[in-house]
Each structure stands twice: as C-alpha cells, then as structure tokens.
Amino acid sequence: MKALVYDAVENLGFRDMPDAQPGIGEHLIKIAASGICGSDMHAYLGHDARRPAPLILGHEAAGTIIGGAQDGRRVTINPLVSCGTCTACATGRENLCGDRQIISMPPRQGAFAQFVAMPDSNLVTVPDDVPFEKAALAEPLAVSWHAARLALAALHPCMASDALVIGGGAIGLAAALALRAMGMDNVTIVEPNDTRRAFLQDRCGQTAVAETQDNSSLIIDAVGYAATRKLASERVSPGGVIAHVGLGEDTGGLDVRRMTLQEITFIGTYTYTMQDFRDTAAAIFDGRLRSLDWTEQRPLSDGASAFADLRAGKVAAPKIILNPWG
C-alpha cells in the first residue's frame, strides 16, 4: 500500500509500505480521508518522543470496510484502542486506560495510508449522505466535545454563560462549535494569525479576535503554550473554569496564586471517551456542529508539501484532509 511515512525531523516520504493486516476482531479499512492533526505536526518537528521515526502518522480518518461480512460499510474511526477490562474502561473513561494505544504511535501504524486495521468497537457507521471528508473530523471534534462537556459540567450555575477559546485551529474551532451545540451562545476565539482569523470570521461564521482584555467565565486553551496558559490565567473570571487541551509545551504560564485565591478550576482534558466519540459523530451527522465545510483537501502524495505549508503558516483552513487515492 502507499503511505506517507515520517522518516526524520521535517522529512516525510510517500512510498510503498507493507499492507495493513487486521488481527482478531479487526477490520481492514480502505481510507478515504485522513486529517492532519497538531500532534502529527509535533512529531514532524521532532517534538514527540512517543512517535519515533520511521512511522506512518495520521489518526483522524474515515473510509470503507473491505472484505468480510461488513464489506462496504462506511465508517469513521475512533483511533484510541483501549483494553476494555480495566477500571477506567469499565467506568466509561477509556481515554485513561493504562494500556491504551492509538494509531500513529507504536505499535500501531497510522492512517496516512491507503489501508489501516481497526477493531470493530472503534468504528462508527457513517450515513451515505455524509462525505468522508466530514466524517474524518469526528476525531478532532470529539477532543473538543470532551473538553467542552467537562468544562461546562465544572462551571458553577451562577457564572455568566460566556466562553473564550484560545487558538483558531481545528481543535479551537471545534471547541467553539461544541460549546454552541451544548447551549453556550457567547463564544469568542482568540487567533493572532490574520489569515486564519479572517477565515474563521468569513468562512466559519465565528467571532474571532486578535487579542482581548475581557474576562470570560469559561476558557478553553486549545494551544497549550506558556503564553496561552498565561492568557487563560489572566482572562478567566473569578470562580471560572479553564479547560486545557493543547499540548504545545510542558511548563509555564499558569498564575497558580490567582487561581487559588479566586477559586478558578483547572481541568486537563485528554482525547475523549467512546461515548464522546459516538456523541460527536451523531452531532456531525444531524448538523448540530454546522456545515463543517472549512477543510482543505489535498492528495496524500502531496502530504510532505502540506506539512511544509502548515509549518510555514501558509494554510488558512483549520484542517487539511489528505486523500490516499487522489
């Protein structure tokens, strides 16, 4: 099969790789669409020791089951494979499973390829009228759905119903969409990149600003750098909630003294539960997350240039979707 392989820092190769081989209880999926995630970019830049080269990256994908009794079934892929038996799994918190695996991390190859093998429990059926490019967004949207759900649950009922999302990439935009789908209408995105901010406003219908001096009761940091944590610490209202999604860098930024004195809740959020993934897919299919027509499609064979363009800040769209057959 053809695949886009991470070979070294800022070095991707499009070439033949061994065909994916489904194990017991797994299906072979012919990938139709696979999105580039921020974590793929971290690996590409050599910032993720969990993704050593050589490796097929990519974990935001949708396609069709090939072979077997379910041949032809259209599916979107939950890339997080859990053990199913530990306490976390038994209580519906599969994202905290100590034995979890995710495609695009060893030992599982990723979905920047023509085929991938996945367990049946990780697949959600996609209706015939939903394009694969939209179905592939279930994974990044689920990350934000999970963060929005936890943040809203922690927000005191007396707090104002307003939110600030830091970062206008796919996760930030998805967080704004999830918050609105859950009933919060007053949501602002902070995005310093002029081109992307204009895209968010004009193409996505979002309220987007370069900076803000206003406080918000709920803040989602979809970037995760010291500077964005500092902004979250400064702009969260007393008694408010910060949900931290981004994994940009490990330390710095939080004003722990202010958080303590003003009883600010900080929540770290990681991926999603299986139920979050299913709920997100349902919200995509029934339109609660809007049109989702803000992606840019490119062939997988041009994947190296797509990563280079993202690295150079040349991409306005929040998400690039790669087609292995284009």
Side-chain angles (χ1 to χ4, degrees), residues 128-148:
D128 291 340
D129 63 341
V130 177
F132 283 121
E133 292 79 10
K134 185 180 292 188
L137 293 173
E139 198 281 337
L141 290 169
V143 171
S144 298
W145 186 278
H146 178 70

Side-chain angles (χ1 to χ4, degrees), residues 5-323:
V5 184
Y6 166 58
D7 287 315
V9 175
E10 298 193 45
N11 189 330
L12 297 167
F14 182 70
R15 61 177 183 270
D16 289 316
M17 291 291 285
D19 289 341
Q21 298 294 326
I24 297 173
E26 294 187 340
H27 298 286
L28 184 66
I29 313 298
K30 180 181 178 181
I31 299 298
S34 187
I36 299 178
C37 176
S39 62
D40 296 318
M41 181 58 65
H42 292 159
Y44 170 74
L45 296 175
H47 297 164
D48 191 347
R50 303 172 302 168
R51 291 178 165 94
L55 183 68
I56 302 174
L57 299 173
H59 57 271
E60 305 174 356
T64 306
I65 293 177
I66 300 298
Q70 298 187 41
D71 182 70
R73 177 186 167 199
R74 306 174 81 246
V75 296
T76 185
I77 296 171
N78 176 349
L80 191 67
V81 182
S82 55
C83 75
T85 59
C86 68
T87 300
C89 289
T91 54
R93 304 183 77 187
E94 300 89 355
N95 59 320
L96 302 182
C97 172
D99 293 322
R100 65 180 181 260
Q101 298 177 352
I102 189 168
I103 60 173
S104 80
M105 286 187 196
R108 291 183 174 270
Q109 296 287 339
F112 288 155
Q114 292 178 321
F115 299 96
V116 72
M118 291 300 299
D120 185 77
S121 58
N122 285 70
L123 305 178
V124 175
T125 300
V126 176
D128 291 340
D129 63 341
V130 177
F132 283 121
E133 292 79 10
K134 185 180 292 188
L137 293 173
E139 198 281 337
L141 290 169
V143 171
S144 298
W145 186 278
H146 178 70
R149 177 177 65 82
L150 293 181
L152 287 170
L155 191 64
H156 195 281
C158 74
M159 296 296 295
S161 181
D162 66 295
L164 184 70
V165 176
I166 302 173
I171 299 299
L173 173 56
L177 294 173
L179 287 167
R180 288 195 171 95
M182 295 176 187
M184 182 169 280
D185 295 326
N186 186 8
V187 182
T188 300
I189 300 174
V190 175
E191 173 50 60
N193 183 287
D194 293 341
T195 302
R196 177 161 287 178
R197 187 170 65 255
F199 190 97
L200 290 168
Q201 294 168 333
D202 301 337
R203 181 71 176 271
C204 306
Q206 299 297 308
T207 301
V209 298
E211 57 185 20
T212 183
Q213 299 299 317
D214 296 331
N215 283 7
S216 294
S217 60
L218 189 157
I219 295 185
I220 293 183
D221 183 352
V223 182
Y225 281 92
T228 56
R229 285 189 289 270
K230 181 175 184 292
L231 178 61
S233 293
E234 292 172 346
R235 297 276 67 87
V236 65
S237 298
V241 175
I242 298 172
H244 193 270
V245 186
L247 292 171
E249 60 186 358
D250 295 345
T251 59
L254 285 179
D255 184 343
V256 177
R257 181 177 177 81
R258 179 171 189 262
M259 292 173 64
T260 301
L261 294 175
Q262 298 190 348
E263 292 195 349
I264 293 163
T265 300
F266 179 91
I267 304 172
T269 73
Y270 177 70
T271 64
Y272 36 78
T273 67
M274 285 189 175
Q275 189 60 53
D276 284 322
F277 190 91
R278 290 190 288 265
D279 290 344
T280 302
I284 291 173
F285 303 154
D286 66 23
R288 277 176 288 155
L289 292 172
R290 304 193 181 185
S291 61
L292 303 178
D293 59 352
W294 34 260
T295 62
E296 177 183 329
Q297 283 82 48
R298 300 193 190 186
L300 185 64
S301 56
D302 290 343
S305 63
F307 271 80
D309 287 347
L310 287 166
R311 174 76 168 93
K314 296 179 179 179
V315 180
K319 179 67 62 178
I320 292 179
I321 302 288
L322 300 176
N323 178 356

